[in-house]
């Protein structure tokens, strides 16, 4: 809660300035907790009469990690692996859809739960490896750059598909991470989740239960705040 209050205050300052000086800009937010901060800022944008879809949560790091881990297991180049990661950007809300990538789909079913957990806990693993003296800064920068490149490509007229956390109606939750298409003006299409296998379908319910509480934190914040 303290992390949310502090970071939501910082994010609000940036969002407020953008609303005033560049309301058409795409705001790619990397500030934790993404699951709560993005809904809070998007709702504040909406209150101001602006497009909440301009507020985009960066979840690319989860995709990068899933691709890397699948590459390690299969001996394949992660540049040719593209595992969609849906849900949110923290703990159990992170759901890699290994069944939707042809390389990842070759991994034995009994290895998937541990691989799923590996993607969920990767951030914590890095913090522990650094003895609490830092986090996953380099991989986060890479992931942010990858999403930034997709946004810029879209703005210049070359559509790109990436996973991102945004206002969404693909589930019964108001915010969700899934594949989106970036085009001129930012997100031009939110794509459906596609076919999930039995394991992923079960995990989706767990994701939604946890994510709902984190979204609600953001919505509650937005109710009591306004952009100047």
């Amino acid at each position: 809660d303290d992390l949310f209050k502090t970071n939501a205050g910082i994010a609000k300052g940036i969002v407020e300035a953008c609303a005033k000086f560049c309301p058409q800009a795409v705001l790619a937010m990397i500030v934790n907790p993404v699951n709560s901060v993005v809904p809070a800022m998007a709702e504040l944008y909406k209150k101001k009469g602006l497009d909440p879809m301009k507020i985009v949560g960066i979840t690319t790091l989860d995709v990068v990690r899933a691709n890397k881990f699948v590459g390690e297991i299969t001996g394949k180049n992660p540049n040719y692996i593209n595992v969609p990661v849906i849900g949110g950007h923290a703990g159990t809300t992170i759901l890699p859809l290994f069944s939707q990538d042809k390389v990842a789909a070759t991994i034995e079913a009994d290895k998937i739960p541990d691989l799923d957990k590996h993607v969920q806990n990767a951030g914590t693993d890095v913090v522990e490896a650094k003895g609490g003296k830092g986090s996953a800064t380099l991989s986060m920068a890479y992931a942010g750059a990858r999403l930034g490149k997709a946004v810029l490509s879209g703005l210049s007229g070359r559509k790109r598909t990436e996973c991102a956390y945004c206002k969404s109606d693909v589930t019964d939750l108001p915010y969700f991470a899934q594949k989106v298409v970036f085009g001129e003006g930012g997100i031009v299409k939110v794509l459906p989740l596609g076919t999930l296998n039995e394991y992923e379908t079960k995990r989706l319910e767990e994701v939604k239960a946890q994510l709902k509480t984190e979204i609600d934190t953001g919505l509650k914040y937005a109710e009591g705040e306004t952009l100047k």
Side-chain angles (χ1 to χ4, degrees):
D1 267 4
D2 286 346
L3 176 71
F4 171 71
K5 281 176 190 159
T6 303
N7 285 354
I10 295 165
K12 183 177 175 246
I14 295 164
V15 168
E16 208 157 50
C18 291
K20 192 173 177 182
F21 298 108
C22 53
Q24 294 306 311
V26 177
L27 276 65
M29 312 215 76
I30 211 161
V31 61
N32 281 323
V34 169
N35 290 355
S36 304
V37 170
V38 167
M41 298 307 125
E43 293 297 318
L44 288 177
Y45 242 45
K46 196 161 78 174
K47 256 193 195 179
K48 186 88 171 164
L50 298 171
D51 182 3
M53 293 300 284
K54 298 288 187 193
I55 311 286
V56 182
I58 301 180
T59 59
T60 322
L61 185 51
D62 303 322
V63 176
V64 169
R65 285 170 171 159
N67 295 346
K68 170 72 173 165
F69 299 156
V70 168
E72 285 176 346
I73 289 172
T74 60
K76 304 285 186 186
N77 185 336
N79 288 334
Y80 301 104
I81 297 165
N82 197 11
V83 177
V85 181
I86 65 167
H89 184 55
T92 55
T93 69
I94 298 168
L95 174 52
L97 302 180
F98 296 112
S99 69
Q100 292 188 13
D101 176 82
K102 61 181 184 294
V103 177
T106 65
I107 297 169
E108 295 92 330
D110 61 351
K111 287 185 179 171
I112 294 298
D114 283 345
L115 187 55
D116 181 15
K117 274 269 188 277
H118 192 26
V119 176
Q120 290 174 45
N121 298 332
T124 309
D125 292 345
V126 174
V127 172
E128 286 172 1
K130 290 186 175 182
K133 291 185 176 142
S135 61
T137 42
L138 191 60
S139 54
M140 180 61 85
Y142 171 76
R146 175 169 151 169
L147 189 90
K149 194 177 173 185
V151 172
L152 292 171
S153 291
L155 293 175
S156 69
R158 298 189 310 277
K159 288 183 177 166
R160 292 288 182 271
T161 301
E162 284 282 359
C163 289
Y165 180 66
C166 61
K167 194 161 180 58
S168 166
D169 57 8
V170 300
T171 69
D172 49 1
L173 295 178
Y175 290 85
F176 209 74
Q178 65 283 290
K179 283 183 181 177
V180 302
V181 179
F182 288 102
E184 292 176 34
I187 293 174
V188 292
K189 196 172 184 185
V190 176
L191 299 175
L193 301 183
T195 306
L196 275 60
N197 65 21
E198 190 183 346
Y199 173 80
E200 292 159 353
T201 303
K202 193 174 159 194
R203 272 275 287 119
L204 180 60
E205 294 313 307
E206 184 187 12
V207 165
K208 290 200 290 188
Q210 178 60 34
L211 187 54
K212 185 182 186 303
T213 65
E214 296 178 26
I215 292 169
D216 287 346
T217 299
L219 300 183
K220 194 174 169 191
Y221 174 88
E223 279 172 16
E225 299 281 341
T226 49
L227 300 177
K228 288 176 193 161

